[in-house]
Amino acid sequence: MSDEYEYQHQVEELEGKSASAARLFDVRRIIGGLFVIYGIMVTLAGITVSDADLKKAENININLWTGVCMLVLGLLFLLWLRLRPPAPPHPAPEQPTPPEEGPNAGGS
């Protein structure tokens, strides 16, 4: 009986670890994080732009606009993850245990 309990405890522990790993590697977290990081870098490049670069782009600070858009998109992905977290995995249905066989199992 204690072996069954220990086995069940190990299965529950592994299910918990698998659910937390699924949440950790959610695609929305990865995409949102990358967009935020790259958005910060491109926004900084847009803030520190030179006049010569602005003249090449017809006075449109494309790095600043692109960086801000990337930041907004990344934050939207992270907000989406926060508002709708991934559902935990459903537990597997329990299988019926076979009847015990032995001298006391029958009834005769």
Side-chain angles (χ1 to χ4, degrees):
M1 183 70 147
S2 68
D3 288 339
E4 250 181 66
Y5 176 76
E6 186 177 327
Y7 176 73
Q8 182 67 26
H9 181 69
Q10 288 175 352
V11 167
E12 288 173 358
E13 185 178 319
L14 287 174
E15 284 176 351
K17 286 181 181 179
S18 120
S20 63
R23 275 188 237 106
L24 180 66
F25 293 111
D26 189 7
V27 173
R28 296 174 291 182
R29 181 182 310 250
I30 295 170
I31 291 173
L34 286 175
F35 266 103
V36 167
I37 290 170
Y38 290 139
I40 290 171
M41 291 176 7
V42 174
T43 302
L44 288 176
I47 291 172
T48 61
V49 70
S50 68
D51 290 334
D53 288 338
L54 272 177
K55 201 172 230 180
K56 281 186 208 176
E58 298 180 9
N59 290 329
I60 298 173
N61 196 344
I62 193 70
N63 283 340
L64 183 63
W65 285 106
T66 304
V68 169
C69 289
M70 289 174 79
L71 272 171
V72 168
L73 182 65
L75 291 174
L76 284 175
F77 267 95
L78 294 176
L79 179 68
W80 179 23
L81 177 68
R82 180 87 164 152
L83 294 177
R84 296 194 133 234
H90 298 291
E94 291 187 28
Q95 297 178 356
T97 58
E100 290 184 27
E101 293 182 21
N104 297 333
S108 327

